[in-house]
Amino acid sequence: MHSLKLPFHIHRERLPRKRIVGPSFAEDEDLKKVLKSYQSNKIRTTKYSFLSFLPKNLFEQLHRIANIYFIFLAALNFVPVVEAFQPEVSLVPIVLVLSVTAIKDVFEDFRRFHSDRLVNRQLCDLYSSAQKDYVDCCWKDVRVGDFVRLSCNEIIPADMVLLYSSDPRGVCYIETANLDGETNLKQRQVVSFLDFPENFHSRIECENPNNDLNRFRGFIEHASGVRVGLHSSNVLLRSCTIRNTETVIGIVVYAGHETKAMMNNSGPRYKRSLLERRLNRDILWCVALLIVMCLIAAVGHGLWLKNLKDPIFQVDGEMSPALAAFYVFWTMIIVLQVLIPISLYVSIEIVKLGQIYFIHNDLDMYNEEQDSRIQCRALNITEDLGQIQYVFSDKTGTLTENKMVFRRCSIFGVEYPHEENARRLAVYEEDPNRGASRTVTLKSACSRKSLTCRSLSCNRSSVSLHTLTAESGEEDQLSSHPQAKTAAFCSPMAKDVVPDPALEKKLNSLCSSLLHLSDGLFKTTSNLELTYITDFFLALTICNTVVVSSPGQPRHVVSGPVSSIHLILNQSRKFHNLCSEIPTLAQISSDRFKGSMEDQDEDGSSGEDSEDELLYEAESPDEAALVHAARAYHCTLRARSPENLLVELPGIGSLPVRLLHVLPFDSNRKRMSVVVRHPLTGELVVYTKGADSVIMDLAERPKGRKAPKQTQKHLDAYAREGLRTLCIAKKVLEEEEYDVWMKRQLLAESSIENREELLLESAQRLETNLTLLGSTGIVDRLQEEVPETIEALQRAGIKVWVLTGDKQETAINIANACKLLRSSDQLLTANCDNKDACAALLNELIVEVQCGQEGVSEQREDPSSGSTGFILAIDGRTLDWALQEDLRSSFLELSRKCKAVLCCRSTPLQKSKVVQLVRDHLRVMTLAVGDGANDVSMIQVADVGIGISGQEGMQAVMSSDFAIPRFHHLRKLLLVHGHWCYHRLANMILYFFYKNVMYVNLLFWYQFFCGFSGSVMINSWVLILFNLLFTSVPPLIYGVLDQDTAADALEEHPELYQAARSSKVYVPSIFWITILDAFYQSCICFFIPYFALAGSDVDGLSFGSPINTSALFIILLHQVIESHTLVRICGSQVVLVTGPQCCDGPEPRSEPMVCFCVADMDSCARLVSQRCLLFRLRAALQHLLHRLQPPHQPAGGGASAAEHAPLLRHLCRHHSDGPDPQVHTQTHTDLFVHVIIKTK
């Protein structure tokens, strides 16, 4: 850490709104007041307290207009003039609905309270000024300014600035899996120039709390006036875990809800689905219908009173007909309130919870390797999954594995194809049970998730914040999973790189050839190429942030002093003809290194150690792939410390490399660089690696050199193969040039205002005039079943767009591999340098597409057909022009006519703009899927956001509505669950409207025969409980369990998804047809009993009893007729489902077909032996016994044929002479037995 002394007088005037932190035991009263004003570390995620629950929950429920409406009706019924029935009865529905919702909220809030209590009671070591020692303290008692001591494997309780580490180099390693899902270790650096805790008199000034996990700006000012800049590498964030470090101490700067972890904890997302928006519109139509019916009753009552002559019953003659009509209007509002479904909103919530439960527990969407399953973070848009029209997908990590493997390279313009390595990748099948396939991180021996580690100790076991509410047994089960990851990007496929023979020969000749070189080494082409090769692999080895470790050692580090300078000098003698600077190497080394490597024999990391013992903890899969590739050529990174590296070169041995500065990768620069002292020449060298589009622009192009042009050709070839390309370059610095740059860099690092901009400017100043060394091609394989998934989505009528930051050639190659681009399709490319050219090209492409589609309009409607389609590939620069206001319409018109669109070299902002443009202007349902932080913006903009829990952390998952382990799970999520959820919910809503309109019309027809007086012929309790009790359960059951089409049929025939979406189950026309049907059925239910009892002396309630009974029967029968499956619950174990669909597929069969999903054969036997089903089952099972063949057990799993045969024979009274029959089985749940019968 570098420090810079700045004027003292500027620090407070320039930063009036920044946070000031000092030791909590300081005697400064003003500082104590400031520290007390900050939040404590106690967290509270509950919504309610004991006193605030009732008013706050009631206030939240009153945000629903329906609740206010029914409270108003209940209050209105207390007015004697307009009351329709007993006032107390009118309170029952709304009180019941509010109570059920309140109980649900209490249950959810209690779970949050229990989780908060477990977290707040966690223990940590806190410094006590009174006892002059560290004492145990609960997390909730930690405050800003306290000193906290942590040991290995302990979770960090608050955001702290790192002040001390037991590592002699002042380094601490943390794991951020609890924060962002990344399992690779990250390095944090101690702040220098500190005495603590007793003598700590410095003051920290930093930015106010925010939710940016990757940024921290501030400085620490010592009593002497010296300021040291603070940034994210000096901060330990809450919920991260200390790894590979025995002890660390920090001072708390943010606590409790002001920590970055808590500010990023937004919880489940809530959106309004398209179906819900349509529902609110139809509720308003029902209100309008209610008002019209009440007006008719009011006008009818007024006319009736006006025309009434010599009444035979008592009538209030003093009241005018108009006033009586006014009172009757409000009375009818109360009487006909059933028209508005009070329980519909509650029912929808319950149904959605049930749907989410079955989605969440679908074993087909469980990934065993990652031990992860689908997560439903948005609780109320499940039905939108059945209406998707456009899917926007990232490429890397979404369509591909994001497990990078070195494939080939180009150095000094010479391409090395690595053919053996290609053959290895073609036939490689990774063994998940192989020990090397699992990465390893050293943890304390005391942790139940740890490996044995002698050098580390831990007082308390590591407990994930995500599992604090789980039982310990469950946590043990998860932690012992065979595929549990404890480090990143270390699969054997990435490690076992096969070297190219020609390149290996050149590199291995380094030692012997240099012994005979003349002073003109750099003058000859062959030796210049050898220099480039050496620098290329040295850059691959050291231009990274990889942490080196092994199973027996937490990390391989370079100790402080370098005493073995003679090792360097001995190796340097082999290079005495290399350059004239070699005699000064000893002086450079003695000045710069001043020390030696640790004795590797003592550490157990000697040269004789098996190389397989080295483990690399990389921050990205690209970085790990390049380090493993260099290691395959015996250029091995052996150890790392903040200021030194230990590398091993072929023919030379191990050399220490002085690491002067690291410029980390960022998305703006698209590159990273390191500044090192060259281990052989002593020169200051900048090694840079990054995206080819950036490095090629920064590289020099010497005249007469063909290497840059050849490298560009190789890059284009790699991209056409679908490889990810990176360029490697270097730059030699003069001492004076480096000193000037370093001063500016220190100013930027110590600045708190505009720090990011200054650091970017400083890095760009250094990374210029680079010498291109070569390029690499890294393969990123497609995930399993990606082509099949994309094909199914296209057959379902869903357009798939790929938005990627990769080169156009790479994206096109991936599109070919995943069947997005077929041989019969025509590829359209849009690459322009200016806006005018872009406009002209878009118009030209539109004309070309229109000409190609003349006479074959059906191809546009069916993008999955084998006929010719158009695929548009557009680069980032052209996309910028196309997204501008005056070109949007042309771009949209062209893209609508294309089967798919590939947006290449696109930034995160461009991705979100594309999704927003299509969603808003085409008015379609959009879905965005991605796995990295660069996909967050488009995931949040889309109607449905899908995050993939892959190799790039959990940023995308935390911002998504649903999270899936693999891309192919999207197929079942949309085609099956999305289809079911939409159909179930749409039909349930229509059924609610039907039954309410049908029932309330019985009361409306009665008004024509009672003078529109508001009288009812049905008991008030029956009327009130109609929605809440008599007709509430069946819609819930069918809303959760009904299946209009079997899952296998939906997956095998994706066209059913498009057909269902096009038919629009819930549209205005269907709504009004349902209302008319309800009117018709209410007429039948009312007038048949009316004419049957005409002329009799029955009273009102006696007249209403047959009407009410027949109406309830017809309403429930209507549910049976409209549903596609019949569900019968016997106790809590068995559900019998019969319907027109069979899990064998949608094809019509001439014979009965029976499919068993067996979980409890005894219960099944008791169920199917009932007389009502015996005869139907017998015929079907007899035919099944003749058809079934016993050669093998079906893939569905389940009970064996031997267990099923006795039951089948008993039911059918049939005995077969052949072997036992096989029955198709499928385990669905331990509580259900499904028997599905299909007859033609």
Side-chain angles (χ1 to χ4, degrees):
M1 173 62 61
H2 302 278
S3 65
L4 185 67
K5 188 170 182 177
L6 298 175
F8 179 82
H9 65 278
I10 68 171
H11 81 281
R12 199 163 299 177
E13 288 74 16
R14 291 181 57 191
L15 306 172
R17 294 188 301 273
K18 300 300 179 181
R19 168 165 292 208
I20 298 175
V21 178
S24 58
F25 50 80
E27 298 179 358
D28 189 340
E29 294 298 329
D30 293 336
L31 179 61
K32 287 184 177 181
K33 291 180 180 179
V34 171
L35 296 179
K36 288 182 179 179
S37 66
Y38 301 143
Q39 288 193 17
S40 68
N41 201 43
K42 182 178 180 179
I43 65 168
R44 179 176 174 268
T45 60
T46 57
K47 295 172 60 178
Y48 313 107
S49 66
F50 180 78
L51 296 177
S52 68
F53 169 74
L54 189 59
K56 191 172 183 179
N57 185 263
L58 186 60
F59 176 76
E60 290 179 352
Q61 294 200 54
L62 291 182
H63 279 75
R64 287 184 172 175
I65 306 266
N67 289 340
I68 297 178
Y69 167 77
F70 283 103
I71 290 176
F72 169 73
L73 291 185
L76 190 64
N77 199 54
F78 278 86
V79 179
V81 181
V82 298
E83 67 173 348
F85 32 77
Q86 297 177 5
E88 296 79 8
V89 176
S90 63
L91 289 175
V92 173
I94 186 61
V95 170
L96 186 59
V97 169
L98 294 178
S99 300
V100 170
T101 306
I103 291 173
K104 177 180 71 71
D105 292 340
V106 166
F107 177 73
E108 293 178 352
D109 212 47
F110 179 77
R111 294 181 62 184
R112 286 191 287 264
F113 169 76
H114 183 68
S115 175
D116 293 345
R117 185 170 58 178
L118 289 177
V119 173
N120 289 327
R121 291 183 177 181
Q122 291 293 304
L123 296 177
C124 63
D125 291 340
L126 188 71
Y127 181 76
S128 171
S129 58
Q131 302 183 25
K132 303 297 182 182
D133 198 1
Y134 289 91
V135 296
D136 284 343
C137 178
C138 292
W139 280 20
K140 63 180 180 180
D141 298 324
V142 175
R143 300 195 64 89
V144 174
D146 287 341
F147 288 90
V148 178
R149 182 177 66 185
L150 299 170
S151 302
C152 173
N153 289 349
E154 287 191 327
I155 297 178
I156 302 168
D159 291 353
M160 309 187 304
V161 172
L162 181 60
L163 303 180
Y164 167 79
S165 171
S166 58
D167 188 292
R169 287 147 301 278
V171 174
C172 168
Y173 293 92
I174 64 172
E175 181 184 277
T176 60
N178 290 339
L179 194 62
D180 58 14
E182 297 183 6
T183 56
N184 53 296
L185 297 186
K186 294 179 175 61
Q187 183 174 296
R188 294 295 181 260
Q189 182 69 44
V190 168
V191 181
S192 57
F193 304 107
L194 295 176
D195 293 321
F196 67 93
E198 300 89 348
N199 300 322
F200 185 88
H201 300 293
S202 302
R203 186 169 292 192
I204 296 174
E205 192 163 338
C206 59
E207 59 189 353
N208 285 325
N210 58 76
N211 62 355
D212 192 341
L213 297 173
N214 300 313
R215 189 189 73 175
F216 179 80
R217 297 188 301 178
F219 58 83
I220 182 169
E221 184 177 9
H222 304 293
S224 60
V226 174
R227 282 204 219 158
V228 178
L230 300 177
H231 41 88
S232 57
S233 64
N234 305 122
V235 179
L236 306 178
L237 298 182
R238 179 190 174 105
S239 81
C240 297
T241 307
I242 304 296
R243 299 294 191 204
N244 294 352
T245 310
E246 188 171 358
T247 304
V248 299
I249 297 176
I251 183 173
V252 177
V253 290
Y254 304 131
H257 289 276
E258 294 180 338
T259 59
K260 294 180 181 292
M262 294 302 299
M263 297 187 76
N264 276 276
N265 184 16
S266 58
R269 307 182 64 219
Y270 291 89
K271 290 183 177 180
R272 289 183 62 201
S273 66
L274 179 62
L275 197 65
E276 186 177 347
R277 294 194 292 269
R278 291 174 179 173
L279 169 64
N280 291 335
R281 177 199 62 195
D282 291 336
I283 288 288
L284 294 178
W285 280 116
C286 286
V287 172
L289 181 62
L290 173 65
I291 293 174
V292 169
M293 296 171 68
C294 293
L295 284 175
I296 293 175
V299 172
H301 184 67
L303 294 175
W304 180 77
L305 281 180
K306 184 177 181 181
N307 297 324
L308 184 64
K309 303 296 183 181
D310 300 326
I312 61 175
F313 42 82
Q314 183 178 1
V315 177
D316 189 358
E318 298 180 359
M319 186 179 297
S320 66
L323 183 59
F326 176 77
Y327 288 150
V328 165
F329 175 83
W330 293 107
T331 301
M332 291 302 298
I333 288 285
I334 299 173
V335 170
L336 304 181
Q337 63 176 295
V338 181
L339 183 63
I340 308 300
I342 184 174
S343 59
L344 178 56
Y345 288 101
V346 177
S347 300
I348 289 176
E349 284 189 4
I350 296 173
V351 166
K352 286 183 177 180
L353 288 176
Q355 292 175 349
I356 288 173
Y357 172 81
F358 283 107
I359 294 175
H360 187 66
N361 289 279
D362 190 342
L363 292 180
D364 290 339
M365 289 189 286
Y366 169 76
N367 184 264
E368 185 177 0
E369 180 182 354
Q370 298 178 359
D371 189 22
S372 62
R373 57 183 176 179
I374 185 172
Q375 303 175 33
C376 302
R377 296 174 54 82
L379 305 180
N380 54 343
I381 59 171
T382 55
E383 64 273 23
D384 280 348
L385 295 172
Q387 296 290 292
I388 300 301
Q389 296 167 274
Y390 279 75
V391 168
F392 299 89
S393 174
D394 180 38
K395 181 186 78 68
T396 304
T398 304
L399 300 178
T400 62
E401 292 276 5
N402 200 18
K403 293 181 179 179
M404 310 301 179
V405 182
F406 180 83
R407 170 64 182 82
R408 59 202 306 176
C409 66
S410 170
I411 307 174
F412 195 57
V414 179
E415 209 273 329
Y416 300 96
H418 292 72
E419 295 177 355
E420 287 293 331
N421 194 45
R423 284 191 284 269
R424 174 187 72 94
L425 296 178
V427 300
Y428 193 92
E429 294 182 0
E430 187 174 354
D431 181 8
N433 296 321
R434 187 185 304 177
S437 67
R438 298 193 305 272
T439 54
V440 180
T441 298
L442 271 293
K443 300 185 173 127
S444 166
C446 299
S447 174
R448 36 172 205 249
K449 297 181 180 179
S450 65
L451 299 175
T452 302
C453 178
R454 295 172 301 167
S455 61
L456 302 180
S457 62
C458 180
N459 295 326
R460 284 177 289 273
S461 298
S462 174
V463 181
S464 169
L465 287 180
H466 296 306
T467 58
L468 283 176
T469 59
E471 297 296 334
S472 58
E474 180 182 354
E475 186 179 350
D476 291 338
Q477 182 181 358
L478 293 175
S479 61
S480 61
H481 192 277
Q483 298 297 334
K485 290 185 177 182
T486 52
F489 323 123
C490 218
S491 68
M493 183 176 62
K495 294 164 60 177
D496 302 336
V497 178
V498 179
D500 186 86
L503 181 56
E504 188 176 29
K505 184 177 180 181
K506 291 180 181 180
L507 195 59
N508 289 337
S509 65
L510 177 64
C511 179
S512 58
S513 61
L514 287 177
L515 292 176
H516 307 287
L517 293 178
S518 62
D519 293 335
L521 173 63
F522 291 104
K523 308 296 184 183
T524 63
T525 303
S526 60
N527 292 329
L528 182 59
E529 179 185 3
L530 193 60
T531 305
Y532 270 67
I533 292 174
T534 306
D535 275 325
F536 178 84
F537 282 103
L538 186 60
L540 295 188
T541 306
I542 66 177
C543 189
N544 53 64
T545 57
V546 170
V547 177
V548 188
S549 61
S550 64
Q553 188 176 356
R555 57 195 173 280
H556 294 189
V557 296
V558 185
S559 69
V562 180
S563 60
S564 59
I565 190 62
H566 301 291
L567 173 64
I568 305 175
L569 295 177
N570 290 335
Q571 300 294 346
S572 299
R573 292 190 185 99
K574 299 180 180 180
F575 295 86
H576 64 279
N577 292 325
L578 187 62
C579 59
S580 58
E581 285 86 353
I582 286 298
T584 64
L585 180 60
Q587 182 63 33
I588 294 173
S589 301
S590 60
D591 292 340
R592 294 286 182 181
F593 296 148
K594 293 183 180 180
S596 69
M597 305 298 299
E598 289 182 325
D599 188 350
Q600 299 191 25
D601 290 334
E602 295 178 1
D603 290 342
S605 57
S606 63
E608 287 79 26
D609 280 358
S610 170
E611 289 193 353
D612 291 337
E613 294 297 317
L614 286 179
L615 299 174
Y616 292 135
E617 294 278 355
E619 292 190 5
S620 72
D622 306 70
E623 202 169 69
L626 295 181
V627 175
H628 286 301
R631 186 181 175 191
Y633 285 93
H634 308 292
C635 298
T636 306
L637 177 63
R638 286 288 179 183
R640 169 185 294 275
S641 69
E643 297 181 352
N644 293 288
L645 303 169
L646 178 63
V647 297
E648 182 179 302
L649 298 179
I652 299 176
S654 296
L655 293 176
V657 180
R658 180 68 183 274
L659 180 61
L660 301 176
H661 217 91
V662 177
L663 299 177
F665 175 88
D666 66 66
S667 57
N668 294 320
R669 291 168 38 243
K670 295 183 179 180
R671 59 188 179 273
M672 79 161 293
S673 299
V674 294
V675 184
V676 299
R677 179 75 66 177
H678 199 285
L680 302 177
T681 66
E683 295 176 319
L684 287 170
V685 183
V686 180
Y687 287 107
T688 303
K689 70 175 181 183
D692 57 297
S693 59
V694 175
I695 301 298
M696 295 301 290
D697 293 338
L698 297 175
E700 294 178 332
R701 296 180 179 268
K703 293 182 179 180
R705 291 272 181 92
K706 297 182 179 180
K709 294 183 179 179
Q710 292 295 326
T711 303
Q712 185 62 57
K713 291 182 180 179
H714 299 152
L715 287 169
D716 295 339
Y718 294 168
R720 285 191 293 271
E721 293 183 22
L723 304 180
R724 290 173 60 89
T725 54
L726 288 174
C727 283
I728 312 298
K730 79 166 188 176
K731 176 183 179 180
V732 178
L733 295 176
E734 298 294 335
E735 296 286 345
E736 295 79 9
E737 182 183 3
Y738 174 72
D739 290 340
V740 172
W741 175 84
M742 193 61 193
K743 290 180 181 178
R744 292 178 177 176
Q745 179 70 12
L746 291 177
L747 281 172
E749 290 180 351
S750 60
S751 174
I752 192 171
E753 296 292 338
N754 302 320
R755 184 174 183 271
E756 288 78 11
E757 292 80 2
L758 294 175
L759 288 175
L760 177 61
E761 180 183 351
S762 177
Q764 291 175 339
R765 188 180 294 112
L766 183 68
E767 298 164 335
T768 57
N769 302 322
L770 302 176
T771 300
L772 182 64
L773 298 175
S775 63
T776 62
I778 299 174
V779 64
D780 185 11
R781 300 185 306 165
L782 282 178
Q783 293 184 16
E784 69 277 9
E785 301 182 33
V786 166
E788 293 82 359
T789 301
I790 290 182
E791 181 184 11
L793 294 179
Q794 289 183 325
R795 289 173 58 191
I798 300 174
K799 287 193 174 184
V800 180
W801 289 29
V802 176
L803 313 179
T804 177
D806 284 341
K807 294 183 66 174
Q808 197 172 67
E809 294 82 358
T810 305
I812 293 172
N813 182 273
I814 293 296
N816 274 299
C818 64
K819 296 184 180 181
L820 190 62
L821 175 61
R822 298 175 180 272
S823 57
S824 60
D825 295 330
Q826 183 175 345
L827 180 65
L828 308 175
T829 57
N831 302 320
C832 304
D833 294 327
N834 56 70
K835 185 176 180 180
D836 295 335
C838 178
L841 180 60
L842 289 177
N843 293 328
E844 179 183 343
L845 293 177
I846 290 173
V847 173
E848 180 180 350
V849 172
Q850 288 175 342
C851 293
Q853 291 182 333
E854 287 181 358
V856 286
S857 59
E858 64 275 5
Q859 296 177 10
R860 294 195 300 269
E861 298 175 0
D862 183 13
S864 62
S865 61
S867 53
T868 302
F870 292 90
I871 307 293
L872 175 64
I874 182 171
D875 67 353
R877 184 178 300 178
T878 308
L879 187 60
D880 264 337
W881 303 120
L883 291 175
Q884 293 189 5
E885 190 70 31
D886 48 346
L887 295 183
R888 286 180 179 178
S889 58
S890 299
F891 174 64
L892 283 174
E893 183 180 357
L894 175 61
S895 61
R896 289 182 66 180
K897 299 177 183 296
C898 294
K899 187 173 75 170
V901 177
L902 308 176
C903 297
C904 314
R905 295 295 191 194
S906 54
T907 63
L909 181 59
Q910 286 178 327
K911 292 182 179 182
S912 63
K913 285 184 176 180
V914 168
V915 176
Q916 187 174 13
L917 178 68
V918 173
R919 184 198 66 188
D920 295 341
H921 287 73
L922 299 184
R923 298 186 181 277
V924 293
M925 289 294 295
T926 59
L927 180 147
V929 54
D931 74 316
N934 60 334
D935 304 316
V936 168
S937 55
M938 75 169 181
I939 287 175
Q940 292 178 334
V941 167
D943 294 298
V944 179
I946 305 290
I948 292 184
S949 49
Q951 303 286 321
E952 296 187 18
M954 299 293 287
Q955 293 94 331
V957 170
M958 291 187 292
S959 303
S960 65
D961 303 310
F962 299 89
I964 55 178
R966 309 290 281 178
F967 181 80
H968 71 86
H969 294 144
L970 190 64
R971 177 179 181 178
K972 186 170 187 182
L973 181 62
L974 294 185
L975 302 186
V976 178
H977 290 291
H979 176 91
W980 282 347
C981 289
Y982 176 74
H983 270 260
R984 291 164 174 170
L985 211 55
N987 287 321
M988 189 194 79
I989 291 173
L990 289 173
Y991 177 73
F992 259 90
F993 283 125
Y994 153 77
K995 70 184 181 67
N996 283 28
V997 173
M998 191 268 200
Y999 197 74
V1000 83
N1001 268 279
L1002 302 176
L1003 307 178
F1004 181 68
W1005 302 134
Y1006 183 68
Q1007 302 307 309
F1008 287 89
F1009 302 96
C1010 67
F1012 299 97
S1013 60
S1015 302
V1016 293
M1017 73 294 190
I1018 300 175
N1019 184 275
S1020 58
W1021 279 104
V1022 175
L1023 187 64
I1024 291 298
L1025 296 178
F1026 168 76
N1027 263 329
L1028 299 179
L1029 182 62
F1030 299 134
T1031 61
S1032 60
V1033 176
L1036 297 182
I1037 294 176
Y1038 288 101
V1040 175
L1041 298 177
D1042 192 24
Q1043 298 180 11
D1044 65 309
T1045 310
D1048 292 344
L1050 290 171
E1051 289 198 80
E1052 293 173 8
H1053 301 276
E1055 295 83 3
L1056 295 173
Y1057 183 90
Q1058 182 181 11
R1061 191 188 64 213
S1062 303
S1063 65
K1064 298 293 183 183
V1065 178
Y1066 186 49
V1067 291
S1069 59
I1070 301 296
F1071 169 76
W1072 288 112
I1073 290 175
T1074 302
I1075 298 299
L1076 292 176
D1077 185 31
F1079 268 88
Y1080 165 73
Q1081 293 189 33
S1082 66
C1083 289
I1084 299 299
C1085 288
F1086 180 84
F1087 286 103
I1088 288 181
Y1090 172 79
F1091 288 116
L1093 298 176
S1096 66
D1097 58 352
V1098 296
D1099 59 6
L1101 292 180
S1102 300
F1103 169 67
S1105 295
I1107 296 177
N1108 181 69
T1109 303
S1110 61
L1112 286 177
F1113 175 78
I1114 290 176
I1115 287 173
L1116 295 177
L1117 181 63
H1118 184 91
Q1119 173 78 85
V1120 174
I1121 296 173
E1122 289 292 324
S1123 62
H1124 300 84
T1125 55
L1126 295 182
V1127 182
R1128 179 176 180 181
I1129 302 179
C1130 294
S1132 61
Q1133 291 188 340
V1134 180
V1135 172
L1136 172 68
V1137 184
T1138 67
Q1141 297 294 337
C1142 177
C1143 62
D1144 229 18
E1147 299 84 355
R1149 298 180 182 271
S1150 59
E1151 70 279 356
M1153 184 62 193
V1154 178
C1155 302
F1156 277 87
C1157 303
V1158 179
D1160 185 344
M1161 298 303 295
D1162 293 335
S1163 300
C1164 182
R1166 290 194 301 270
L1167 180 67
V1168 299
S1169 62
Q1170 298 182 38
R1171 290 183 177 273
C1172 59
L1173 295 174
L1174 182 58
F1175 295 102
R1176 190 175 182 185
L1177 280 172
R1178 182 179 301 166
L1181 293 175
Q1182 282 179 341
H1183 188 85
L1184 179 63
L1185 285 172
H1186 287 292
R1187 289 185 64 248
L1188 293 175
Q1189 300 296 328
H1192 63 278
Q1193 179 73 14
S1200 66
E1203 295 175 293
H1204 299 157
L1207 173 64
L1208 299 181
R1209 291 187 178 125
H1210 171 73
L1211 290 175
C1212 304
R1213 303 170 189 258
H1214 176 85
H1215 298 275
S1216 175
D1217 297 332
D1220 290 336
Q1222 298 287 324
V1223 176
H1224 176 70
T1225 61
Q1226 173 189 359
T1227 301
H1228 182 70
T1229 172
D1230 291 339
L1231 300 179
F1232 298 133
V1233 174
H1234 291 192
V1235 181
I1236 306 173
I1237 301 177
K1238 176 181 178 181
T1239 57
K1240 184 177 178 181

